[in-house]
Amino acid sequence: AIVRSNTEGKLVDVSVVTRVSARSESLLKMVREPELWPKVIPSVRRVVVTAREPTSIEYDMTVSAMMSEVVTTFRMTFEPGAADMLAISGPIKGARIRWDIRPDATTSPNQTPGSVAVWRANLHLSDTSALLRAMLRIEPSFEHSANLTMGLLSVRALVAQLH
């Protein structure tokens, strides 16, 4: 994992990188179908796709957060080997999540084709509640660890579904 901060110590983004023993197409398909996420990511309670285009989708996602549930509307755009998500409304408006998924060039001919997945995000968690904002004023690095935890949970949950 890579955690980037600015000179004041504020979170820029968190990246989680992992090798997956599955084809990149399979993982990318799962990433681009958020309506499947409530079955595999424990904190995701509900996803309702509200618009679907060939190169993008919009969806409302309900996530179980500290002592509450947070509903956010996301726009996901599809790029070659990637999915870029932007929270367009809700308490974490402006949050960004990006998945980059590529075939693993180090896979040998006698191995199952693998891929490398990168989950990168800044979830703007300080925007979700007054309690969380107060905690972050005391210790700003908490936002770093919370973003990292969400990344690890998301990556591990989706990868587990492919095995």
Side-chain angles (χ1 to χ4, degrees), residues 114-131:
S115 53
V116 175
V118 179
W119 179 94
R120 182 174 37 256
N122 184 335
L123 300 174
H124 294 270
L125 298 173
S126 62
D127 297 338
T128 60
S129 75
L131 175 61

Side-chain angles (χ1 to χ4, degrees), residues 18-160:
T18 190
R19 183 185 185 289
V20 181
S21 296
R23 293 185 180 277
S24 56
E25 298 86 4
S26 300
L27 182 55
L28 191 58
K29 183 178 185 303
M30 184 171 289
V31 166
R32 290 179 174 178
E33 295 179 349
E35 61 271 27
L36 301 177
W37 299 351
K39 297 175 186 169
V40 298
I41 302 175
S43 61
V44 177
R45 297 291 182 233
R46 191 172 93 130
V47 172
V48 176
V49 175
T50 57
R52 193 179 297 271
E53 305 283 330
T55 60
S56 67
I57 60 174
E58 286 189 15
Y59 57 96
D60 296 328
M61 184 166 62
T62 303
V63 175
S64 179
M66 272 198 257
M67 301 180 288
S68 68
E69 288 192 341
V70 176
V71 180
T72 303
T73 301
F74 284 90
R75 179 179 301 122
M76 180 189 301
T77 56
F78 307 144
E79 299 175 26
D84 192 56
M85 291 155 259
L86 173 66
I88 57 175
S89 70
I92 60 170
K93 182 178 179 181
R96 294 197 80 94
I97 303 168
R98 181 175 173 93
W99 284 87
D100 287 290
I101 302 164
R102 302 281 185 260
D104 185 353
T106 66
T107 303
S108 66
N110 59 347
Q111 283 182 305
T112 302
S115 53
V116 175
V118 179
W119 179 94
R120 182 174 37 256
N122 184 335
L123 300 174
H124 294 270
L125 298 173
S126 62
D127 297 338
T128 60
S129 75
L131 175 61
L132 197 48
R133 273 190 299 283
M135 290 172 60
L136 293 175
R137 277 194 296 276
I138 296 167
E139 183 48 66
S141 65
F142 177 70
E143 185 164 26
H144 298 61
S145 61
N147 273 267
L148 178 57
T149 299
M150 289 305 300
L152 289 169
L153 290 173
S154 298
V155 169
R156 288 179 179 166
L158 292 182
V159 168

